[in-house]
Amino acid sequence: MSKPIVFVSDLGLRDEFVGVCDAVMARIAPASRVIHLSHGVPPMDIVAGALMLAQALPFSPDDAVALGIVDPGVGSARKPIAVETGSGRLLVGPDNGLLSLAWQALGGARTAVQITSDAVLLTPISPVFHGRDVFAPAAAHVANGLPMARLGPPVDVETLVAIRIREPVVDRRRIETEVLDIDRFGNVRLSVRPEQLAAAGFEPQEALELATTGGGARARRIATYGDVKVGEVGVLVDAWGWIAVIRYEASAAELLGARAGDPVWIVPAV
Amino acid sequence: MSKPIVFVSDLGLRDEFVGVCDAVMARIAPASRVIHLSHGVPPMDIVAGALMLAQALPFSPDDAVALGIVDPGVGSARKPIAVETGSGRLLVGPDNGLLSLAWQALGGARTAVQITSDAVLLTPISPVFHGRDVFAPAAAHVANGLPMARLGPPVDVETLVAIRIREPVVDRRRIETEVLDIDRFGNVRLSVRPEQLAAAGFEPQEALELATTGGGARARRIATYGDVKVGEVGVLVDAWGWIAVIRYEASAAELLGARAGDPVWIVPAV
Amino acid sequence: MSKPIVFVSDLGLRDEFVGVCDAVMARIAPASRVIHLSHGVPPMDIVAGALMLAQALPFSPDDAVALGIVDPGVGSARKPIAVETGSGRLLVGPDNGLLSLAWQALGGARTAVQITSDAVLLTPISPVFHGRDVFAPAAAHVANGLPMARLGPPVDVETLVAIRIREPVVDRRRIETEVLDIDRFGNVRLSVRPEQLAAAGFEPQEALELATTGGGARARRIATYGDVKVGEVGVLVDAWGWIAVIRYEASAAELLGARAGDPVWIVPAV
């Protein structure tokens, strides 16, 4: 039976890029269901795409093949790869770190291959759109049951590009962290988890001061969006377990003057 | 056999919210087709989402389960519910009125349950994303054939939150109505139907004066978009039977200075 | 067996237009897979939609039915049609040229019918939304195996509206062409192919001067996005074989002051 495919990219939905990849997969694996995780990853933001994949795969069908296309190096020397994780998941995408958070969360990269087989690639391969000519066909073929080893020669998993989410610096009542990303409501996700706030000695209900290079705010600990009041800044645990900063029908990102990657310091509110 | 699922939300397509709900449903009900009605409901606009569901369900497969996620009260006391309508449709979403226009159009709310079953919920439930942990799994389970009663205890349908579209005030050659919504072309949909224009004594071809607090316009009655001329304002019956105001390749909303919920007065053109 | 449907439109994803078409198709052809090629065609841009369809169909399943909805003349005298191409493809859409580049690329229009059958149309037909009431049902019925002839009476294929992409004027070391379209990154696609650059006597590695009425730029020939340097303008062959102008993380369209349809002159760089 055909496996489903979980597809994440920065290709956007305005142009036909995603649709053509979908068409290619429907041609090769007509019975494979495609789950469009998101195509709104900020252009070329490998970390954001990697994070989405790693977080969403546990919620996906166990046999789902992951297809990731955030590929600033398309047409360059970076390898197109498929990876099997320790838990048996198959991941397809460029060797630029995009798949690495997923395999770190799923038992590590057990084996990997470089996608080179003429039976898989659509030729002539456009040097500007490997999504259509390399990654979508590879994902569809393995979803269809082709053994991963038939995509191309093995790659030493130790040589694969891997990224890491920067851990916060946790001191006594002071944390230095950074903005992980910002969603379409302007909510600011920080690279810090509630356990780390506790480890720094903050009480569960204690108000926090958030300082950025562009601004700052006093924030109250809340449980859900509805708890924040007009004019107030709230801090909650988001759906993926990260600390997020929100406002009542307003953009926390704007208030903090913060963008992805910017440093944020958390200290006690005065 | 698995039932299809008609999914409407205000979650947007930029982030991974919709994709993760899709993944969850594919995991539980791999053979259920998901029809993405729209995820562009204005954030927290329950009325707009309710209207979309009510209008689109008659065009959907008869056995389709409706899944609605416009949920400003996520994590608060509002109940997650499933409702069976008089016509036998199953609706899943928050008890905030989102499903109510659909059940009003489909034979009323016959029975309802609160979604509480541990066999359905994904735990730990995030207080900020019941879409993933409560609503998507519930919709997928009933699409898969689980009897609605197995989702949780019954809820008295008389206690469910219901909304109503505000009826226009129809006088002799004068109607007071409001803006229902505005589409991406700036076309303005009014909460009034052609029968009500007739009831107010307007002739079918008669030009109308539209007055708002922010502007106004003289509008000609037309049948379709192509009938409007450069610089002109037209009034037509839209695809759902509402009176809509349009312009030639321009925004009627901008001209009228009107937003959803704003009052509009219709009088004879002079 | 049900055929897949490749769907392209200018309906956008914010409103429920696309979702309702999808619902209608799921109702008629529950086993047909719908491939959403793009719904981000610029509003009423028939040429852009026609180009997307023509380019993407060869990458789609061989039996896929094409459904195109870019229909500024909805509700007017223009015919709703279905066309069978010389290669056996079925195309459904308005008779305004939208399907014509696809049939030109696929063996010509062999036969055509006007969609009029009461067994296919959803009545009452809204004069403003033939997508839902005419095109989606027609596409779903033929995907389901209904012979095209059952949609309505034959139409002489010689009378169908056809468009052509304007060919560039190729002189000795000078090409006059135009902007075909601009993608969401601001990359500018020109209506010229690498063979025509060669025919004009430009060397493969030769820098080019691009002149528009709104600006201009010196551009280097490159192979892929990663080859362009900060501050530089590059010219490459895009995924569909067109010459495209790009910049390093910046909008080439803005630099050139160019929009779709604008003239561009290509001469040797000085």
Side-chain angles (χ1 to χ4, degrees):
Chain A
M1 192 181 136
S2 283
K3 298 178 177 115
I5 297 166
V6 173
F7 182 10
V8 69
S9 81
D10 67 347
L11 297 171
L13 291 173
R14 209 201 79 166
D15 304 305
E16 75 278 25
F17 305 125
V18 167
V20 169
C21 290
D22 229 10
V24 164
M25 293 190 281
R27 194 177 161 89
I28 295 167
S32 273
R33 177 175 182 158
V34 178
I35 298 157
H36 293 280
L37 187 53
S38 166
H39 299 292
V41 173
M44 311 192 200
D45 190 338
I46 292 168
V47 175
L51 210 51
M52 271 195 200
L53 258 190
Q55 294 178 154
L57 280 180
F59 291 91
S60 305
D62 286 330
D63 61 344
V65 174
L67 168 61
I69 307 178
V70 179
D71 192 16
V74 61
S76 73
R78 71 92 192 86
K79 294 187 189 76
I81 55 170
V83 176
E84 185 179 13
T85 72
S87 67
R89 286 268 189 186
L90 298 177
L91 317 172
V92 173
D95 179 23
N96 62 11
L98 178 64
L99 309 176
S100 65
L101 297 182
W103 79 58
Q104 287 163 24
L106 296 165
R110 186 197 289 161
T111 59
V113 298
Q114 181 170 357
I115 303 164
T116 61
S117 164
D118 286 340
V120 168
L121 303 172
L122 301 193
T123 51
I125 298 172
S126 164
V128 298
F129 194 15
H130 286 193
R132 180 191 66 190
D133 299 335
V134 180
F135 299 120
H141 278 292
V142 297
N144 237 359
L146 186 81
M148 194 180 83
R150 299 270 293 280
L151 295 178
V155 174
D156 179 356
V157 296
E158 296 302 317
T159 68
L160 297 178
V161 175
I163 58 178
R164 302 234 165 237
I165 296 298
R166 209 170 82 186
E167 286 293 314
V169 181
V170 177
D171 290 325
R172 175 78 199 138
R173 299 195 48 79
R174 185 180 183 282
I175 290 180
E176 182 181 339
T177 180
E178 65 179 33
V179 175
L180 210 49
D181 58 35
I182 292 165
D183 73 15
R184 70 174 188 128
F185 301 108
N187 301 328
V188 176
R189 186 188 286 178
L190 301 179
S191 177
V192 65
R193 293 177 173 276
E195 309 84 75
Q196 295 164 325
L197 284 180
F202 293 105
E203 300 298 321
Q205 305 297 331
E206 186 179 353
L208 304 172
E209 185 73 29
L210 307 169
T212 63
T213 53
R218 185 185 200 280
R220 188 164 67 86
R221 300 285 288 274
I222 57 178
T224 189
Y225 297 117
D227 295 341
V228 75
K229 294 180 176 55
V230 183
E232 198 183 37
V233 176
V235 156
L236 50 69
V237 182
D238 83 359
W240 309 104
W242 300 104
I243 292 291
V245 189
I246 71 159
R247 290 169 72 200
Y248 182 85
E249 294 191 11
S251 167
E254 209 170 276
L255 181 75
L256 295 174
R259 297 189 305 178
D262 284 357
V264 178
W265 294 267
I266 304 174
V267 294
V270 284
Chain B
M1 191 182 139
S2 283
K3 298 178 177 115
I5 296 166
V6 173
F7 182 9
V8 69
S9 81
D10 67 346
L11 298 170
L13 291 172
R14 208 201 79 166
D15 305 304
E16 75 280 25
F17 305 125
V18 167
V20 170
C21 289
D22 229 11
V24 165
M25 293 190 280
R27 194 174 161 89
I28 296 167
S32 273
R33 176 175 182 160
V34 178
I35 298 157
H36 293 280
L37 187 53
S38 165
H39 300 293
V41 173
M44 312 196 199
D45 190 338
I46 294 169
V47 175
L51 210 52
M52 271 194 199
L53 259 192
Q55 294 178 154
L57 280 180
F59 290 92
S60 306
D62 286 330
D63 61 344
V65 174
L67 168 62
I69 307 177
V70 179
D71 192 17
V74 61
S76 72
R78 71 92 192 88
K79 296 185 187 79
I81 55 170
V83 176
E84 185 179 12
T85 71
S87 67
R89 286 269 187 185
L90 298 176
L91 317 173
V92 173
D95 180 22
N96 62 11
L98 179 64
L99 309 176
S100 64
L101 297 182
W103 79 58
Q104 288 163 23
L106 296 165
R110 187 197 288 162
T111 59
V113 298
Q114 182 171 357
I115 304 164
T116 60
S117 165
D118 286 342
V120 168
L121 303 172
L122 301 192
T123 51
I125 297 173
S126 164
V128 299
F129 194 15
H130 286 192
R132 180 191 67 191
D133 298 337
V134 180
F135 299 120
H141 278 292
V142 296
N144 237 359
L146 187 80
M148 194 180 85
R150 298 271 293 280
L151 296 177
V155 174
D156 179 356
V157 296
E158 295 302 317
T159 68
L160 298 177
V161 176
I163 56 176
R164 301 235 165 234
I165 296 297
R166 209 171 80 186
E167 285 295 312
V169 181
V170 177
D171 291 325
R172 176 77 199 140
R173 299 192 54 78
R174 186 179 182 283
I175 290 180
E176 183 181 337
T177 181
E178 64 178 35
V179 174
L180 210 50
D181 58 34
I182 292 165
D183 74 15
R184 71 175 187 126
F185 301 108
N187 301 328
V188 176
R189 184 189 287 178
L190 301 180
S191 177
V192 65
R193 293 177 174 275
E195 309 84 73
Q196 295 164 324
L197 285 181
F202 294 105
E203 298 298 321
Q205 305 297 331
E206 187 179 352
L208 304 171
E209 185 73 29
L210 307 169
T212 64
T213 54
R218 185 185 199 279
R220 189 163 66 86
R221 301 285 289 274
I222 56 177
T224 189
Y225 298 115
D227 294 342
V228 74
K229 295 181 175 54
V230 183
E232 199 182 33
V233 176
V235 156
L236 50 70
V237 181
D238 83 358
W240 308 104
W242 300 103
I243 292 291
V245 189
I246 71 159
R247 288 170 71 200
Y248 182 86
E249 294 192 10
S251 167
E254 209 170 275
L255 181 73
L256 294 175
R259 297 189 304 180
D262 284 358
V264 178
W265 294 268
I266 305 175
V267 293
V270 284
Chain C
M1 192 182 136
S2 283
K3 298 178 177 115
I5 296 167
V6 173
F7 184 9
V8 69
S9 82
D10 66 346
L11 297 170
L13 291 172
R14 207 200 80 167
D15 305 304
E16 75 279 24
F17 305 125
V18 167
V20 170
C21 291
D22 229 10
V24 164
M25 292 190 282
R27 194 176 162 89
I28 296 167
S32 272
R33 175 175 183 159
V34 178
I35 299 156
H36 293 280
L37 186 53
S38 165
H39 300 292
V41 172
M44 311 194 200
D45 190 338
I46 294 168
V47 175
L51 210 51
M52 272 194 198
L53 259 191
Q55 292 178 156
L57 280 180
F59 291 92
S60 307
D62 286 329
D63 60 344
V65 174
L67 168 62
I69 306 179
V70 179
D71 192 16
V74 61
S76 72
R78 70 91 193 84
K79 296 186 188 77
I81 55 169
V83 176
E84 185 178 13
T85 72
S87 67
R89 286 268 188 185
L90 297 178
L91 316 173
V92 172
D95 179 22
N96 63 11
L98 179 63
L99 310 176
S100 64
L101 297 182
W103 78 59
Q104 287 163 24
L106 296 165
R110 187 197 288 162
T111 59
V113 298
Q114 183 171 356
I115 303 165
T116 61
S117 166
D118 286 341
V120 168
L121 303 172
L122 301 192
T123 51
I125 298 173
S126 164
V128 301
F129 194 14
H130 286 193
R132 179 190 68 189
D133 298 337
V134 180
F135 299 120
H141 278 291
V142 297
N144 237 359
L146 186 80
M148 194 180 84
R150 299 270 293 280
L151 295 177
V155 174
D156 179 357
V157 297
E158 295 302 317
T159 68
L160 298 177
V161 176
I163 56 177
R164 301 236 166 236
I165 296 298
R166 211 170 80 185
E167 286 294 312
V169 181
V170 178
D171 290 325
R172 176 80 201 138
R173 300 194 49 79
R174 184 180 184 282
I175 289 180
E176 183 181 337
T177 181
E178 65 178 34
V179 175
L180 210 50
D181 56 35
I182 292 165
D183 73 15
R184 71 175 189 129
F185 301 108
N187 301 328
V188 176
R189 185 189 289 178
L190 302 179
S191 177
V192 64
R193 293 177 172 277
E195 309 84 74
Q196 295 164 325
L197 285 179
F202 293 105
E203 298 298 320
Q205 305 297 332
E206 186 180 352
L208 304 172
E209 185 74 28
L210 307 169
T212 63
T213 54
R218 186 185 199 279
R220 188 164 66 87
R221 301 285 289 273
I222 57 179
T224 190
Y225 298 116
D227 294 341
V228 75
K229 295 181 175 53
V230 183
E232 198 183 35
V233 177
V235 155
L236 51 69
V237 181
D238 83 359
W240 308 104
W242 300 103
I243 292 292
V245 188
I246 72 159
R247 290 169 70 198
Y248 182 85
E249 294 191 11
S251 167
E254 210 171 274
L255 181 74
L256 294 176
R259 296 188 306 178
D262 283 358
V264 178
W265 293 268
I266 305 174
V267 294
V270 283

